[in-house]
Structure formats: structure tokens, C-alpha cells
Amino acid sequence: MVKRRVTIIDIAKELGVTPSTVSRALAGNTRVSLPTREKVLKTATGMGYHPNMLAASLRKGRSDTIGMVVPGINRHFFSHVISGVEAILNPAGFNLLISQSHEKEEHERKAVRSLLSNRVGAIILSHSVETTAFDHLLEIVNEGIPLVQFDRVTTDVPGPRIVNDNFFGALRSTQHLIRNGSRRIAHFSGALHINVYKERFEGYKYALQQAGIEFDPSLLIENCIIQDAGAEAVEKLVANNRIDAVFSSSDYSALGALKKLKKMNPGLSGQILISGFANEPFAELIDPSLTSVEQNAFEMGNQVAHAIIRSIGKDEIMDEEIQVPVRLIQRESSIWYRAISKCSNHLKKT
Amino acid sequence: MVKRRVTIIDIAKELGVTPSTVSRALAGNTRVSLPTREKVLKTATGMGYHPNMLAASLRKGRSDTIGMVVPGINRHFFSHVISGVEAILNPAGFNLLISQSHEKEEHERKAVRSLLSNRVGAIILSHSVETTAFDHLLEIVNEGIPLVQFDRVTTDVPGPRIVNDNFFGALRSTQHLIRNGSRRIAHFSGALHINVYKERFEGYKYALQQAGIEFDPSLLIENCIIQDAGAEAVEKLVANNRIDAVFSSSDYSALGALKKLKKMNPGLSGQILISGFANEPFAELIDPSLTSVEQNAFEMGNQVAHAIIRSIGKDEIMDEEIQVPVRLIQRESSIWYRAISKCSNHLKKT
DNA sequence: GTTATTCGTGCAAACGTTTGTATTTTTGCA
DNA sequence: TGCAAAAATACAAACGTTTGCACGAATAAC
């Protein structure tokens, strides 16, 4: 037996005033006198009143829930962006409605449709690797609701875009490898139609060019962002291309390469330098620890949230791109070391 | 300039029928003839109609969004439970509204209040470590909306509870350590008022008892589930208690212990066996790899979702507890090995 | 003391659906 | 052709708010 929930009308009856007064009182409107405001507030909590946001949003024509679509929340980067968004948006009175696209364009479209149906006040989105058409995003802006893109973004649809400084991260990372003596540096990339991987590739190429190293297309491995792909790629590259380093756009494929190298020839492993991207939690834990580019996911989330707040209620949409700085974290995988030196240390101590 | 969104009424006018007919047509109600149903559907998509779920939910008195409160989505376990829930609930036409408590009771309460205000159709919750009073959960069931608890649960409030078989996991893990020769096994636990840690502690004690080992209270370290706590604890234990193994309720404190041991005395490190709990992704990547108890988070999510579907629309609430099986994954950290043996291998190969 | 102004509250419509009931149209059958 | 039954659609109220406007009372200005 479901109990009828207490409404504004119940409170109004209880106090002998009208619903409108109660509504204004609860909203803190100064048009209703302080004494009645206090009375209303007291009886509201006393009766166990929970405002019905559905009704409020319907009436107001806008909702305080913000929709967010990400490829997957179980990724370190995305979950921290979400936390960063929440940290700003929750205190400001907004809720987050989170959907995952699981890297499928169809899921992404469904998620957007669902968010639109739920009349969210704005949408935050980082698109799936599959997504190449953006009509569903245009639909969002056409409906007049603010859209903020982050990380994986497209300039095909107007609005704020918050991105990492991928170019700079890749540049620094590659320069670091070069300084440590590498010349034949392979690059593991994602699909190059995605801005993120494109920009990292550009940074990589630029670093080579600056160092007077000619870019060798046979050292570019596309769609190499998961562990297995990295392992497979490094095996072939070592066999055929005499590489001495790998700059990967993904920590996962870097990890795969690292493990494969260790397995193939423990003695060799330290002589091929490796650096990844994203600074996943495991990067500092593995052996050797993985050099990577740290993205400030939480900060990015904050920026996204602020862009949302700026956009909401505004009529014109601002087509801006904000870059969040990244930082190279140097670890063992990119410094010239030999497994044997570690062992001799062990032997000395034991 | 915000465009007015197209409603059911617009479609009705366009076709010269009433809104009610359009509503029924869109719902696939057979009371409206097939020809009109098709016509409605076509013009609806043609006009770019998006149903207004707010209005629908308000009228129907129930909503198809399910609220979910978790301590943090950036934890492997929770993000995979979420995925498991989504995998069942999304195809069934539900959305997930996810909130994080960040392990704060106050956040948890706020989240629940917000979900109630948004008139979610049901609530899924795993409570924060801080939470010891459960009136906010009682409020949920008093409002007549289904509540499903998972992982960290309380029996103080009725309803389905989906939990891991913590007792069994702890039992197996401790038995494994004992079989490998350990007798003085420390236990890193969380706060024991939480069912999860309580049950694991019971499993640990039971394993000791079965093996005829007396439980030594000085080997129980409470509130030891983060990396630093594990490091600190193991240092003291090694100094004062002559332990030969650690069974930790958390992979993180196990990791801390492992790293500390390696640092303190590389030669010693292999002689103190360590096992963790949760099988975090890093467990298999670190050196030595970490023995742990794998929880089937995705499966748990599925169970949660099914419990939700069973509960929705039902009047009586079923006070059931479902246990999801766990599995011990044996890795290097719990087998007797010496760093030196690895080195000699290296030397042979290089 | 009259007229403006402010203040506090009430009235009623609106937001976009759903749904029980009433009404019209169609169909079947004698 | 007539009439009941069935089918298709229309009507209208309801969900719980918000908010522009109206209204009366109290206060201020002249």
C-alpha cells in the first residue's frame, strides 16, 4: 500500500494559506513575510515534505539535472572528470544523470535521446570512438539546451569544448625519449579521426621534426590503445624495425608492450624506452614503473562544470575551446636501466 | 532564443485528432486503430518529437529512472556493479541516476533526499563507511519506493540485499595462507561495524580455528584499508609480532604492505605472504603480483537489477539476501618465493 | 485626509502527459 | 433497414508545481 506523498497543497491546507504562498515560502521568496516563511518551513519538514522536482521542472520548463554521457565510468580518467564536475555542480544545486556509451555510437545516441526526453538542463558529452556523425549533438543545440563537450570533441557542433593539451603532452613525452637517446621512436595511436589521438600524433611528429628526425610512417601504429594490441605491435616492431622507444597514446598498450618486452627478453627490456599517456593508477605500480602524461581529470571536470553554469540560461552559445594543462611524469620505463643492475643490488643486500 | 519543443498536442493538431489518441498511439495501445497509430508515429518522428518524461512521470506517479548511490564510481568494484545494473536496466527501459557519497554519511543522505525529490522509481544503495544510522533508508521504504541494498548493507531496513560471499572468500584466502605454511597471520580490516568487513573477519577467524590456530587480537588491524595504513601496519607488525602472513580485506592496504616490505628488506619480502581482497586491476600487474579474492561485480549488478525489476510495482517488500560467489585468485604474493631466485634466472638468461 | 506606494497573500492558468469515461463511428447480424 | 455491439476516438480531469496578475491592507507621501 503506497502512502500518498505530502504535497505543497497539504501544507497549505494545514496552515490555512494557499499553495502559492507555500511555494514562494519554500523558495525563500521575500514577497512572503518572514513569520509565514518560517511557519511553512517548519511544518514542511514536520510533515516530511519532499518537493516534487518533476512537477517543478515541468512547470518551470527547465530542470536542474544535467545529463552526462561518457564512454565508460570505469576508466580512471572519466570517473575523475565526473567527480570534478560533481564537485562544482552539486553545491550549485544540480544533479548529474550519467550514462555510458560503452564506446558504441548507438548507445551514445540512445543516451542523448533519453536525456532529451528527461528534459535535462544541459548535456555534457565525450564521444565514443565509433562516433563519426554528430547529428544527435546538433539536435541537442537545436532544442536550445546547452552542450559542453570534453576530451573527445568535435568542432562540427558549436559550444564549449574542454580538452587536454594533448599536443604539448605528446611533444614533451617524445622530447624526453629523444633526450634519453632514442631516435627510432614508434608511436601507438588511437583512431586518428579522434581529436585526442590526432593531436598527440601531431605533438609526436613535431618533436621528431625539431630534433631533425624524419618521421617514419612504418613506426605509426594506429588503433593500438589496448593491452593486447600494444604487445602485438611491439613484437613486430622489434623484429622488423629496430626501434629503440615507444611513445604510446595509451597506458594500456604501453603496458602490453612493457610486459611483452619483459617476456621476450628480460635483458633487452630496459633498452627500449617506453612512455604512455593518461597516467592510469597502475603506471606507478608496475615494474618497471611507467612514464606517462598526467591529465588533470578533476580540474577538467571543474572546467566543464563552470562551462555548464556559464551556458545555462544564456541564449547565445559560446564556441570556445579551453585547454587543461598536462604534465609529464618520468618513471623507470623511459630511463636507460638494466634488469641486471637491480639484481646486483638485491644480491648485495641479501 | 529557445525553440518551443514539439508536444503531443502539436502532433494532435497536425493530424486533427486529440492528444489522448496521440498518447495512446505512441504507447502502442491497440485501442487506437493501426492506421492512425502508424500515422501518429510517422508525424511524431517527422516533427522531431521527444516525449517529455517529466510530464509523463508526473501524471503516472512513477518514473522510469532508478537512483543509485555508491561510495565512489572511481572504484573498480562499484563501477563494474553499475555496468552490471545498466546492462539489465537499460534494455528494460530504465535510466540510472548515479550519485556518489564519497564515503560521507551527509552526502549519502543528501543524495537520497535528492533522489526522492526526483521521484525515482526505486533506489539502489551501498552505504558509506561513515553511515551508522539508517533513518534515511527507512524514509525511502516509508515513501513506498523500492530499495535494494548491495555490498555494504544493513538488516535494519527491510528489502533485498545483494552481497558478496565475504565469509567464504576470507575463509578460502586464509586457508590458502595456512596451507602455504603461515601460522601468524595478521588481518587488515575495515571498520567492523560494516557487514563486509565483519564477515571477512569471521571467515578469517573460522579458518584459524579450523586449523587449530588461536586468534591473536594483536594481529587484527582495524581501519586498515588504504595504502598508507597497510604500509604503516606491516612495519609495526613485523617489528613486534613476528608475523609470517597478512590477509587483508583490501587490495590497497595489501599493496601498501607489499611495497613497504620490499623497501624495508628486499630479501625478506617474499617470506611474508600477502593476500588482498577485491582483485583490483593492479593486483595482477604489480611485482610480485597480488593474491586476491575476485568479486563478480558485474554479476552482482545484474542481481541488483533483477531485484529492482522484481520489486517495482510490487506492494509487499521481500526481505531477502542474495549471495554472489567469489573466487580466490592465487598469485605470487602468497607463494613462498625469494627475490634472489628471480635474479639468478635473469643472470642465466642475459 | 486623500492618494500613492508597498507589502502580503490569493486566484487561476499553465507545464505535457495519462487515463477513466463518454461519445461518436463503424461493424455485424437479423 | 434497424439495432445492438464493438471499435475508435474525444472529453476532461488529474499529477504538483510555479508565476503573472489581482486584490486588500497597511504604510508612506503630500
Side-chain angles (χ1 to χ4, degrees), chain A residues 45-66:
Chain A
T45 54
M47 297 173 72
Y49 170 72
H50 287 291
N52 186 331
M53 288 307 189
L54 295 179
S57 299
L58 176 60
R59 173 58 235 252
K60 289 198 284 199
R62 65 193 160 72
S63 141
D64 288 339
T65 49
I66 308 294

Side-chain angles (χ1 to χ4, degrees), chain B residues 260-274:
Chain B
K260 174 60 89 179
L261 283 174
K262 251 171 113 171
K263 206 162 146 193
M264 281 166 65
N265 186 345
L268 179 70
S269 71
Q271 298 177 24
I272 292 184
L273 308 190
I274 296 195

Side-chain angles (χ1 to χ4, degrees), chain A residues 220-284:
Chain A
L220 168 66
I221 315 295
E222 229 181 306
N223 293 316
C224 183
I225 53 174
I226 64 172
Q227 202 173 325
D228 290 347
E232 199 180 321
V234 83
E235 191 165 23
K236 282 191 197 152
L237 285 165
V238 165
N240 307 331
N241 296 72
R242 309 186 323 281
I243 60 165
D244 52 18
V246 174
F247 163 58
S248 175
S249 262
S250 149
D251 277 349
Y252 290 96
S253 54
L255 170 67
L258 219 47
K259 283 170 87 170
K260 174 60 90 179
L261 282 175
K262 252 172 112 169
K263 207 163 146 195
M264 280 167 64
N265 187 345
L268 179 70
S269 73
Q271 298 177 23
I272 292 184
L273 309 189
I274 296 196
S275 75
F277 215 106
N279 194 30
E280 296 286 340
F282 66 76
E284 63 166 340

Side-chain angles (χ1 to χ4, degrees), chain B residues 141-315:
Chain B
V141 305
N142 284 341
E143 292 252 345
I145 92 164
L147 167 69
V148 173
Q149 300 181 73
F150 74 96
D151 193 45
R152 300 193 198 148
V153 303
T154 176
T155 51
D156 287 5
V157 31
R161 299 180 298 280
I162 322 290
V163 294
N164 282 306
D165 196 344
N166 291 297
F167 181 87
F168 181 80
L171 176 65
R172 274 278 179 277
S173 193
T174 311
Q175 283 177 339
H176 166 69
L177 295 173
I178 294 171
R179 275 203 206 100
N180 283 17
S182 308
R183 305 275 307 171
R184 292 190 54 77
I185 305 174
H187 177 43
F188 293 173
S189 175
L192 284 172
H193 67 85
I194 299 178
N195 63 306
V196 167
Y197 300 113
K198 179 94 182 302
E199 289 158 18
R200 292 177 195 171
F201 175 49
E202 298 296 345
Y204 157 80
K205 273 201 299 191
Y206 188 72
L208 294 183
Q209 185 196 314
Q210 292 289 85
I213 304 174
E214 201 185 352
F215 164 59
D216 178 352
S218 74
L219 300 188
L220 169 65
I221 314 296
E222 226 182 307
N223 293 317
C224 183
I225 53 173
I226 64 172
Q227 200 173 325
D228 291 347
E232 201 180 320
V234 83
E235 191 166 21
K236 282 189 196 152
L237 285 166
V238 165
N240 308 331
N241 296 71
R242 308 184 326 280
I243 59 164
D244 51 19
V246 174
F247 163 57
S248 175
S249 261
S250 149
D251 277 349
Y252 290 98
S253 54
L255 171 67
L258 218 48
K259 283 170 88 170
K260 174 60 89 179
L261 283 174
K262 251 171 113 171
K263 206 162 146 193
M264 281 166 65
N265 186 345
L268 179 70
S269 71
Q271 298 177 24
I272 292 184
L273 308 190
I274 296 195
S275 74
F277 214 106
N279 194 30
E280 297 286 340
F282 66 75
E284 63 165 339
L285 298 176
I286 59 180
D287 181 52
S289 57
L290 178 64
T291 292
S292 193
V293 176
E294 181 191 46
Q295 307 166 308
N296 199 337
F298 192 85
E299 166 65 16
M300 174 171 281
N302 289 349
Q303 298 277 2
V304 168
H306 285 127
I308 284 288
I309 291 174
R310 281 199 302 276
S311 301
I312 277 181
K314 278 243 179 58
D315 271 359

Side-chain angles (χ1 to χ4, degrees), chain A residues 5 54 118, chain B residues 53 56-58 60-66 93-95 118-122 312:
Chain A
R5 297 198 246 276
L54 295 179
N118 281 287
Chain B
M53 289 305 191
S57 299
L58 176 59
K60 288 199 284 200
R62 64 192 162 73
S63 141
D64 289 338
T65 48
I66 309 293
F94 295 99
N95 297 73
N118 280 287
R119 294 293 186 273
V120 291
I312 277 181

Side-chain angles (χ1 to χ4, degrees), chain B residues 93-161:
Chain B
F94 295 99
N95 297 73
L96 261 195
L97 185 50
I98 301 166
S99 298
Q100 305 186 67
S101 67
H102 296 289
E103 302 286 15
K104 302 276 176 216
E105 177 162 4
E106 193 204 332
H107 285 190
E108 181 179 316
R109 287 170 178 276
K110 266 196 191 147
V112 167
R113 200 156 25 233
S114 164
L115 292 177
L116 289 178
S117 284
N118 280 287
R119 294 293 186 273
V120 291
I123 291 183
I124 300 166
L125 184 139
S126 183
H127 66 246
S128 86
V129 287
E130 275 188 358
T131 310
T132 49
F134 300 102
D135 43 308
H136 57 305
L137 301 192
L138 279 173
E139 205 169 348
I140 298 174
V141 305
N142 284 341
E143 292 252 345
I145 92 164
L147 167 69
V148 173
Q149 300 181 73
F150 74 96
D151 193 45
R152 300 193 198 148
V153 303
T154 176
T155 51
D156 287 5
V157 31
R161 299 180 298 280

